Amino acid sequence: MKGKKIFRCMPVLVALCVLLEGMFFMTITKPGHVPDIWTHVYRIDSILNGDVIARPVTSRSMLHNTETGVVGGAVDRSWMQYSLEQYDGYDPGVVIAESVADNGSSTTVDLPFNNTVTNSPVVYAPQLLGFAVGRLFDLGPGATYRLAEIAC
């Protein structure tokens, strides 16, 4: 009789273990150490800034370091700074700072995210929610980044 009770609890136990393992690895993984993370971050923030469809931009990333064919959108300057501060050679989707046309007066800059333009904005719904909550409560990029990870 006891054996049947254990088997009935097994799906809950497995789900709990997977959830705890995921939370552990989210906690120890440094920002920028997920493939293409900066292009996804730039895309999510640009969607919140009204650039739902990518457009040509002059800035380049290490992954798309070409004069033509680079697309992206308006991203909050704080995300550019955060990605550059966190960059340690892992994700080549990070913007090349010298390529950004910066007038200094705007709160946004045009950043590239070629890798993510084919993704529908719908697939970013959980992260968009995390970014929106981060904006609503005026959280910094670090806290918003973690919040968006948890929202996934």
Side-chain angles (χ1 to χ4, degrees):
M1 207 57 166
K2 283 187 176 184
K4 288 184 179 184
K5 285 184 179 181
I6 290 174
F7 285 119
R8 286 198 319 233
C9 295
M10 196 57 76
V12 173
L13 180 62
V14 169
L16 185 59
C17 288
V18 169
L19 179 66
L20 290 173
E21 180 183 24
M23 294 297 280
F24 171 75
F25 283 107
M26 280 184 359
T27 303
I28 66 167
T29 302
K30 296 184 340 187
H33 278 255
V34 178
D36 295 330
I37 190 64
W38 298 125
T39 56
H40 290 291
V41 165
Y42 299 160
R43 175 77 194 276
I44 293 163
D45 195 60
S46 75
I47 291 170
L48 285 179
N49 288 331
D51 278 343
V52 177
I53 298 174
R55 57 187 167 72
V57 295
T58 57
S59 59
R60 301 178 315 275
S61 68
M62 293 176 196
L63 187 60
H64 295 98
N65 192 1
T66 179
E67 296 292 326
T68 60
V70 181
V71 295
V75 177
D76 290 347
R77 186 179 301 276
S78 61
W79 282 110
M80 179 182 76
Q81 286 305 122
Y82 184 70
S83 66
L84 292 170
E85 289 166 5
Q86 299 300 315
Y87 181 69
D88 62 1
Y90 183 81
D91 182 10
V94 71
V95 68
I96 298 171
E98 297 80 32
S99 71
V100 177
D102 189 5
N103 63 11
S105 64
S106 177
T107 59
T108 62
V109 288
D110 287 346
L111 299 185
F113 46 79
N114 283 46
N115 285 23
T116 62
V117 296
T118 57
N119 298 343
S120 166
V122 175
V123 302
Y124 291 115
Q127 294 92 342
L128 284 166
L129 178 64
F131 272 51
V133 169
R135 264 191 200 179
L136 180 67
F137 291 105
D138 201 27
L139 301 177
T144 301
Y145 180 91
R146 294 293 184 189
L147 182 63
E149 278 191 334
I150 292 168
C152 296

